[in-house]
Amino acid sequence: MTSSISPASASQDDGAPSDNTPAGSRKAGRLSTVSRMYDIRGDGELDEAELAMRHMDTSGRGYLTNEKVYQLMQDHVQTQRKLFQFKRIIIGLAVLVVILALSNLGTSFAAAILSKDTVTKTEETSDGEEFGADLIDKKTKEKVGTQTANDSIEVNRATSLCIEEDSELNCATDSYLSVPESVVKSMFYKCLTGRTVNVARTFSSGHVKSINICSSSTNVEFNEFDRSTLENYGESIHFDPMDGDYKVSGDGLLQQEQEVCDVDEDCLVNLACYKNQTSIIGCQDICRRKRWAPHRVEACVVSCDHSTCLQEAIDE
């Protein structure tokens, strides 16, 4: 026995509207039987959420299985976790912005208060020359401590062509390390206030040597018209006033054996300054083996050609 369904009845089963359907129920007639089961609001249309539920019902049951609901809940939980993480990040950034704003505000207030409570004071020599500057508290008249980077002064080798001896000028050359007078006064002021000062010496070969001459524990003896002394770690460095500059001397500035030099006066006692060709050739051979840096070979070879402090040769 066979049965047949007319096109009109099939259309009604799928929810299609008929000619006799009132105008107010035409929208509901557009939904199929399964789709009408997901029309929660009953307005004859599936909104975005209802349509998503309908699409998940791939079997056409008219309801969602536990597996589908579990998948929905998993997605929901993951979304909530991400939202919570974003909230924490936003709160952290907001706190950071507040801290930075308060820090800038505090710095501004501190600068304003410090500018009102302090004044700059400079020292003055007997000839009226000013050197050094410190912040002084207006109320206590005490110096405000500040932290600065290490200071460095440059010493150069100078020559005095004429020296007066017994009312006569002896014009034999006298070589010595020299520092300008203004630099020395500023340096001693820094040493007296506990700052760290280094002496830098640049040799004719291009080598630079830096020596620490004073720190917070240095014994400082400054005399504007006579010898001044810095004693640091058991080594003394002397500053003798000359004509417009200061002569610098002391074992702490002298070069030891195998160290670079320009003249004999750069070396310790019993050492002489001269070129040792054997050492120079050996140094240059090492430079030429730097095949991984060919652009540095020439500069390295040139830097090897310099004098060093060595033991004086004894004639037998």
Side-chain angles (χ1 to χ4, degrees):
M1 180 185 243
T2 59
S3 61
S4 61
I5 300 176
S6 66
S9 13
S11 175
Q12 292 177 0
D13 290 341
D14 290 339
S18 61
D19 295 339
N20 298 326
T21 303
S25 61
R26 286 180 181 273
K27 291 183 179 180
R30 295 176 185 173
L31 299 177
S32 65
T33 302
V34 176
S35 297
R36 281 199 298 271
M37 299 177 69
Y38 290 99
D39 185 14
I40 307 301
R41 298 182 303 171
D43 57 356
E45 291 182 339
L46 299 182
D47 60 17
E48 186 177 357
E50 294 169 344
L51 189 60
M53 294 170 59
R54 176 64 184 90
H55 289 164
M56 293 186 68
D57 184 12
T58 55
S59 61
R61 292 187 177 92
Y63 60 88
L64 297 179
T65 62
N66 288 339
E67 289 78 6
K68 298 293 184 181
V69 175
Y70 178 71
Q71 182 180 352
L72 280 174
M73 293 307 299
Q74 278 188 319
D75 294 340
H76 176 70
V77 170
Q78 290 294 333
T79 303
Q80 291 296 323
R81 288 178 179 175
K82 291 181 180 179
L83 181 61
F84 179 71
Q85 291 178 353
F86 287 142
K87 286 182 178 179
R88 292 179 61 182
I89 294 174
I90 292 173
I91 293 174
L93 291 176
V95 172
L96 180 61
V97 169
V98 172
I99 293 175
L100 291 176
L102 293 176
S103 175
N104 290 334
L105 186 61
T107 303
S108 300
F109 275 115
I113 294 173
L114 187 63
S115 63
K116 294 179 180 179
D117 294 342
T118 58
V119 64
T120 303
K121 179 181 178 182
T122 58
E123 298 291 337
E124 187 173 309
T125 62
S126 59
D127 55 1
E129 182 181 357
E130 293 185 352
F131 66 95
D134 275 318
L135 289 177
I136 305 299
D137 193 316
K138 292 181 179 178
K139 296 179 180 179
T140 63
K141 304 301 180 182
E142 294 180 353
K143 182 172 57 178
V144 178
T146 57
Q147 183 177 1
T148 60
N150 292 349
D151 295 298
S152 181
I153 64 172
E154 181 81 16
V155 296
N156 300 296
R157 183 159 291 282
T159 55
S160 177
L161 298 180
C162 296
I163 302 175
E164 185 174 355
E165 294 180 352
D166 298 330
S167 300
E168 295 183 1
L169 289 179
N170 180 5
C171 291
T173 300
D174 179 26
S175 176
Y176 63 94
L177 293 178
S178 169
V179 179
E181 181 179 359
S182 58
V183 174
V184 170
K185 292 179 180 179
S186 177
M187 178 203 67
F188 269 94
Y189 175 80
K190 294 174 182 177
C191 292
L192 286 168
T193 55
R195 302 181 187 177
T196 301
V197 180
N198 297 328
V199 166
R201 170 81 190 281
T202 302
F203 294 90
S204 59
S205 60
H207 292 78
V208 179
K209 182 176 181 179
S210 181
I211 305 170
N212 176 251
I213 60 172
C214 74
S215 59
S216 58
S217 59
T218 303
N219 183 23
V220 183
E221 296 180 6
F222 179 66
N223 189 325
E224 185 178 351
F225 303 103
D226 201 353
R227 166 171 287 190
S228 300
T229 303
L230 293 175
E231 186 176 349
N232 192 35
Y233 300 110
E235 293 185 345
S236 297
I237 299 177
H238 308 292
F239 295 82
D240 296 300
M242 302 288 285
D243 186 14
D245 60 4
Y246 274 74
K247 177 181 178 180
V248 188
S249 60
D251 291 344
L253 297 175
L254 299 179
Q255 299 291 82
Q256 299 182 7
E257 189 172 3
Q258 300 295 334
E259 289 185 337
V260 64
C261 60
D262 285 337
V263 294
D264 291 340
E265 287 79 1
D266 291 332
C267 305
L268 289 170
V269 180
N270 299 327
L271 295 180
C273 182
Y274 61 92
K275 290 184 178 182
N276 186 325
Q277 295 299 328
T278 302
S279 299
I280 294 175
I281 294 174
C283 175
Q284 292 176 342
D285 289 340
I286 295 175
C287 291
R288 294 187 179 96
R289 297 194 191 104
K290 295 182 178 181
R291 300 176 182 177
W292 65 90
H295 60 285
R296 296 183 179 179
V297 171
E298 184 176 355
C300 180
V301 170
V302 173
S303 66
C304 290
D305 190 9
H306 61 78
S307 300
T308 53
C309 295
L310 302 169
Q311 291 287 343
E312 295 187 38
I314 301 176
D315 298 330
E316 295 182 356

